[in-house]
Amino acid sequence: MTREGRTYIVSAIVEHKPGVLYSVSNMFRRRGFNIETITVGASEQKDLARLTVTIKGDERMVEQVVKQLQKLIDVVKVSILDPEYTVTRELALVKISTLDTKVRSDVINYTEIFKGHVVDVAHDSLVVEITGDSDKINAFIELMKPFGLKEIARTGITALSRGMKSARME
Amino acid sequence: MVKMTGAKALIESLKRQKVEVIFGIPGGAVLPIYDVLYDSDIKHILMRHEQCAAHASDGYARASGRVGVCMATSGPGATNLVTGIANAYMDSSPIVALTGNVPRAFIGKDAFQETDIVGVTTPITKCNFQIKNAKEISKIVNTAFYVASTGRPGPVLIDLPKDTQTEVDDIEFDNGIILRGYKPNIEPHPLQIEKAVKLLVQAEKPVIIAGGGVITSGAPQELLALAELLVAPIATTLMGKGSVPENHPLSLGMLGMHGTITANKIVPEADVLLAVGTRFSDRSTGKVETFCRDAKIIHIDIDAAEVGKNIRPHVPIVADAKLALKAIYDRLIKSFNKNERSLWMNRIQEQKKQQAEMENKDGMTPPHLLVELRKILPQDAIITTEVGQNQMWSALYLKTYKPRTFISSGGLGTMGFGFPASLGAKVACPDVPVLDIAGDGSFIMTEQDLATSVSWNIPVTVIVLNNSVLGMVAQWQRMFYNRRYSAIDLGKIPDFVKLAEAYGAQGVRVGSPEEFIKAVKMAMKSEVTTVIDVPISSEQNVFPMVPPGAEIDKIMIG
Ligand SMILES: Cc1ncc(C[n+]2csc(CCOP(=O)(O)OP(=O)(O)O)c2C)c(N)n1
């Protein structure tokens, strides 16, 4: 299910404790906002985590998302990242069946072109790690499809604003 | 620092919050707390259902403006609180709910009477906590009271695993609250005030909508001062009843689906609309897409998420209602040339006259009975209501003169709320008469707490507008479903007189308006709760009514 509109990246600093992810994701469900991707991990500040959510929608919806997030007591700070001033990255692990040795060398070649790494080698498969923005990962996956793509694991987008502009807690 | 158990730390912390009364029911998972209560000077009122404990604490909070406290055991005790918590959340009422839970080692193991009440109540509380150790109890209690009572008030739940209640540790009662993510924004932004003033100065037909936030923030005086300065009429929401005396010439009464004709006709004519402490609920706006389409809208609310949610205002002001109204007033009084607005006032007068002519009040009809009732009630009498026709008749025909004297389940529309809420209100305000205006269907939902009212000497008056049906549902089936009455006949209604007597309360049945008034006078003097059974026809509709989804000036009057 995708909504009309553009993709927004919402970055939130939240208390790093049990239940916070539940209350955040529950709010999205309850208000009918669709999460495209969500990532969460430690931030630069002790006891605080950074949560990165991408959502599709219009400006009015995103304004509500930000306000509803801010309303949650364990959410300390929320900002919308401007794509022009933001670095975004996603990581994917892609497993490809390589029974055919020709395929194996093709995959390795493509991996180099995409600046990825082969992180696991078995006699009948390879696991490739690929990092970049989502378009790059999509492109790599498309290329791998004819080769016998077995499994994909993607992290979802994480993001930081460029330069000194920050979404830290003041 | 003092060595004590978690249970003792809890009760001590509550005392430091000046808690005088807890509404609750004990059980296995809260035994250590009840053991401390045994010789505490905090009064515990034993209710007969946890839902009523929650509603009573809510009624206490709404009548007094202080935080209400309720308590239940784990599992079914905790889940029985849920309706009451959801109700308090929708109506922004400050309550703290305490629940026991299974010991820490059993959590997550589906132990006997374990319910994930923190998970269950996450979307219906401002925040909730599960206690991890006895040491943190005092800080969490302080935080809970702070969060419940500040900003946009609301319920907070504290879940205490049983072994945190018995754990002994060094307890510190520091009042420190660390909440990095909670900063209720209360000061209005001067630039926004400036913009609001600019609109109001130019307004020719200004209208104010006052919601429950005006009462919560203690702003009725500021509201009236501003309204009088601007010569702007005030319509209220259901929750806003009491924010302006309804006999004031600028009062239009309630707005919305069952609003007064005057409010519903005048509000859409506004050129500048000042909405304060309201969330523009569908019940007050009618069709939201066209609501006051041509007006410039100023929206004051302390909850930023409400501003822009249902209606996009031209001037959003995220602030405490009292501070914002005062700021606008102070700024206006310097420059505003008071204008009689005789055209606008004439229009309102004419509308009010038209309404008065249409109101036909006699016989054993609720409008007549309630108008007569109001005449004999002191201005500070507290009215609670159930839900359905009884509630809308009360909102329409019982004029409210003072804040916190009209207590009704607005957002959730919870049948069975009014009676336990009346008990809470009476505990908070023992010196004023408290009356629950009920429907027979609603009263039956929580009537068991007559036992509480009699045992604890909490005398209230319950007026059952007894139409033998689920009246409001019947009204909708009559109006919108071709009179296909489905599941609205309450069949064998209990004899409310005998029912009251069975509980040791007083019961009276009345057959005429005169008998009704006599019974109410007697009940208000009585030392014991009185149930007045008022048989009425089951065919009556509440009018005026705006059909769901229609614009609010599309009023049906019969
Ligand atoms: C707990 C609950 N259940 C169901 C409803 C749906 N409902 C709304 S009004 C109503 C009828 C109320 O009947 P009664 O209390 O007799 O009041 P009347 O409308 O007759 O005055 C019902 C069932 C509700 N609001 N609350």
Side-chain angles (χ1 to χ4, degrees):
Chain A
M1 267 209 303
T2 48
R3 280 181 179 253
E4 291 293 305
R6 50 172 274 220
T7 299
Y8 290 83
I9 302 169
V10 180
S11 177
I13 298 289
V14 303
E15 298 284 348
H16 204 174
K17 62 181 198 194
V20 175
L21 195 54
Y22 170 64
S23 69
V24 168
S25 56
N26 202 37
M27 184 284 286
F28 275 89
R29 178 197 57 78
R30 145 101 177 78
R31 302 271 170 197
F33 306 135
N34 265 317
I35 297 176
E36 302 261 312
T37 69
I38 183 166
T39 64
V40 62
S43 75
E44 70 286 358
Q45 294 157 92
K46 192 171 164 283
D47 303 333
L48 293 178
R50 183 180 300 275
L51 185 96
T52 311
V53 185
T54 59
I55 43 169
K56 257 208 179 113
D58 56 22
E59 207 167 303
R60 187 164 178 187
M61 183 192 113
V62 174
E63 180 191 312
Q64 261 297 302
V65 167
V66 170
K67 285 176 169 180
Q68 294 291 350
L69 272 175
Q70 263 158 354
K71 194 165 156 175
L72 299 174
I73 272 119
D74 289 326
V75 173
V76 175
K77 166 135 197 190
V78 186
S79 35
I80 303 177
L81 297 181
D82 180 339
E84 286 214 17
Y85 299 96
T86 303
V87 193
T88 64
R89 285 291 179 274
E90 187 176 358
L91 184 144
L93 295 173
V94 185
K95 187 184 282 179
I96 304 124
S97 165
T98 53
L99 280 172
D100 184 334
T101 45
K102 166 83 172 66
V103 168
R104 179 176 292 253
S105 58
D106 280 356
V107 169
I108 293 171
N109 279 340
Y110 279 124
T111 302
E112 271 167 20
I113 295 169
F114 275 77
K115 298 200 169 60
H117 304 282
V118 175
V119 288
D120 182 69
V121 183
H123 71 276
D124 56 354
S125 71
L126 287 177
V127 176
V128 174
E129 171 205 306
I130 195 110
T131 315
D133 59 22
S134 302
D135 288 345
K136 174 177 162 190
I137 291 172
N138 291 341
F140 183 78
I141 288 170
E142 276 309 308
L143 274 175
M144 289 303 113
K145 273 186 182 161
F147 292 126
L149 206 149
K150 301 284 272 186
E151 284 177 282
I152 304 171
R154 295 175 71 153
T155 58
I157 292 167
T158 192
L160 273 185
S161 58
R162 293 179 191 273
M164 285 309 286
K165 257 190 80 200
S166 76
R168 315 184 58 223
M169 180 199 148
E170 258 74 49
Chain B
M1 270 202 275
V2 207
K3 262 208 173 352
M4 63 174 78
T5 64
K8 185 105 177 72
L10 172 72
I11 299 301
E12 272 305 308
S13 309
L14 294 176
K15 266 167 57 183
R16 281 161 200 257
Q17 292 292 340
K18 309 218 163 32
V19 172
E20 286 165 359
V21 56
I22 299 175
F23 302 90
I25 299 186
V30 282
L31 281 169
I33 301 173
Y34 277 83
D35 191 56
V36 178
L37 275 177
Y38 183 80
D39 34 35
S40 160
D41 42 17
I42 294 184
K43 184 166 165 185
H44 176 274
I45 295 183
L46 175 62
M47 305 296 291
R48 299 304 192 263
H49 193 299
E50 290 87 353
Q51 181 186 343
C52 292
H55 289 328
S57 67
D58 185 345
Y60 176 93
R62 294 193 206 198
S64 66
R66 303 179 46 196
V67 176
V69 182
C70 58
M71 178 154 62
T73 190
S74 66
T79 55
N80 271 353
L81 290 177
V82 168
T83 300
I85 294 172
N87 189 75
Y89 187 66
M90 286 294 267
D91 287 349
S92 314
S93 180
I95 67 170
V96 169
L98 305 167
T99 52
N101 212 332
V102 298
R104 283 167 289 186
F106 288 89
I107 285 186
K109 309 274 163 63
D110 301 312
F112 177 63
Q113 292 194 331
E114 181 193 358
T115 295
D116 173 20
I117 197 65
V118 166
V120 169
T121 58
T122 293
I124 53 167
T125 49
K126 267 186 94 174
C127 66
N128 58 23
F129 303 92
Q130 187 170 63
I131 298 294
K132 289 191 291 298
N133 52 59
K135 234 179 157 57
E136 68 176 17
I137 288 177
S138 63
K139 184 169 268 167
I140 286 182
V141 170
N142 294 343
T143 307
F145 276 73
Y146 175 67
V147 172
S149 60
T150 52
R152 177 179 180 179
V156 176
L157 178 132
I158 307 175
D159 191 35
L160 298 106
K162 191 172 181 181
D163 60 333
T164 65
Q165 302 166 28
T166 47
E167 185 177 73
V168 177
D169 208 333
D170 290 325
I171 305 290
E172 208 178 331
F173 292 99
D174 68 293
N175 283 309
I177 292 160
I178 307 173
L179 276 176
R180 291 184 279 202
Y182 182 67
K183 294 177 212 87
N185 184 9
I186 55 169
E187 290 284 346
H189 196 290
L191 262 172
Q192 297 305 94
I193 295 292
E194 217 43 54
K195 285 189 197 156
V197 165
K198 208 176 224 166
L199 285 182
L200 289 167
V201 167
Q202 287 163 4
E204 279 171 18
K205 297 188 284 180
V207 173
I208 298 175
I209 298 180
V214 173
I215 296 168
T216 308
S217 77
Q221 273 185 333
E222 286 74 10
L223 176 75
L224 202 54
L226 181 61
E228 285 174 349
L229 178 66
L230 285 168
V231 195
I234 306 171
T236 75
T237 65
L238 180 74
M239 295 302 298
K241 254 179 93 75
S243 59
V244 54
E246 287 182 302
N247 54 354
H248 191 283
L250 288 172
S251 164
L252 304 176
M254 184 175 76
L255 163 85
M257 180 174 279
H258 284 290
T260 65
I261 298 172
T262 309
N264 285 352
K265 287 282 185 199
I266 294 296
V267 169
E269 291 177 21
D271 60 353
V272 176
L273 184 69
L274 172 64
V276 44
T278 174
R279 61 190 168 86
F280 289 113
S281 122
D282 52 289
R283 283 296 186 265
S284 36
T285 62
K287 189 176 181 183
V288 72
E289 294 80 11
T290 51
F291 178 74
C292 288
R293 194 169 23 187
D294 302 324
K296 294 268 185 270
I297 299 176
I298 304 162
H299 189 188
I300 303 172
D301 203 282
I302 196 157
D303 181 354
E306 291 302 349
V307 179
K309 187 182 80 181
N310 295 340
I311 292 267
R312 289 199 67 78
H314 300 85
V315 182
I317 302 179
V318 177
D320 174 70
K322 186 178 181 125
L323 297 180
L325 289 170
K326 190 166 180 316
I328 295 175
Y329 180 88
D330 289 348
R331 177 63 191 69
L332 268 178
I333 191 91
K334 287 186 219 146
S335 57
F336 192 61
N337 293 327
K338 196 161 167 162
N339 166 339
E340 294 305 321
R341 275 192 220 292
S342 40
L343 232 61
W344 188 218
M345 284 301 108
N346 285 345
R347 167 78 189 95
I348 290 160
Q349 262 356 88
E350 165 210 348
Q351 193 59 62
K352 282 189 176 178
K353 221 173 95 205
Q354 201 184 331
Q355 175 179 323
E357 281 161 10
M358 282 194 298
E359 281 170 359
N360 169 22
K361 293 182 230 92
D362 54 15
M364 282 298 269
T365 64
H368 180 223
L369 296 172
L370 294 173
V371 167
E372 292 303 308
L373 170 66
R374 183 72 259 190
K375 290 180 187 161
I376 60 158
L377 294 181
Q379 287 213 346
D380 57 0
I382 296 175
I383 303 290
T384 68
T385 79
E386 300 296 343
V387 166
Q389 294 182 310
N390 59 85
Q391 176 184 34
M392 292 300 124
W393 277 318
S394 303
L396 280 165
Y397 298 106
L398 276 173
K399 289 211 182 333
T400 306
Y401 304 114
K402 300 203 159 171
R404 302 191 180 282
T405 61
F406 185 85
I407 296 175
S408 191
S409 170
L412 200 63
T414 312
M415 289 169 71
F417 166 78
F419 176 54
S422 76
L423 300 180
K426 184 70 182 177
V427 170
C429 308
D431 301 328
V432 302
V434 178
L435 301 93
D436 172 34
I437 312 294
D440 40 345
S442 297
F443 183 49
I444 288 172
M445 289 204 180
T446 49
E447 131 270 291
Q448 77 286 334
D449 271 81
L450 278 170
T452 308
S453 105
V454 173
S455 312
W456 288 90
N457 270 320
I458 312 170
V460 298
T461 303
V462 182
I463 296 171
V464 185
L465 298 174
N466 184 353
N467 52 10
S468 317
V469 288
L470 296 170
M472 187 56 97
V473 181
Q475 173 166 347
W476 282 55
Q477 292 178 350
R478 192 153 47 239
M479 293 172 64
F480 309 120
Y481 291 86
N482 233 340
R483 293 184 176 260
R484 286 161 53 87
Y485 293 124
S486 183
I488 47 102
D489 188 348
L490 288 170
K492 187 99 188 81
I493 304 272
D495 179 330
F496 286 112
V497 174
K498 285 192 186 150
L499 182 91
E501 286 167 1
Y503 282 108
Q506 206 168 195
V508 198
R509 183 166 300 112
V510 297
S512 69
E514 296 71 34
E515 278 177 33
F516 171 66
I517 292 303
K518 221 174 97 197
V520 175
K521 283 184 176 160
M522 182 273 291
M524 286 199 298
K525 281 197 215 101
S526 168
E527 305 270 285
V528 63
T529 287
T530 307
V531 178
I532 306 178
D533 182 17
V534 188
I536 57 169
S537 136
S538 56
E539 287 284 319
Q540 298 184 49
N541 290 328
V542 183
F543 287 122
M545 176 174 191
V546 178
E551 283 147 16
I552 55 163
D553 54 356
K554 305 285 180 295
I555 308 165
M556 303 167 76
I557 47 168

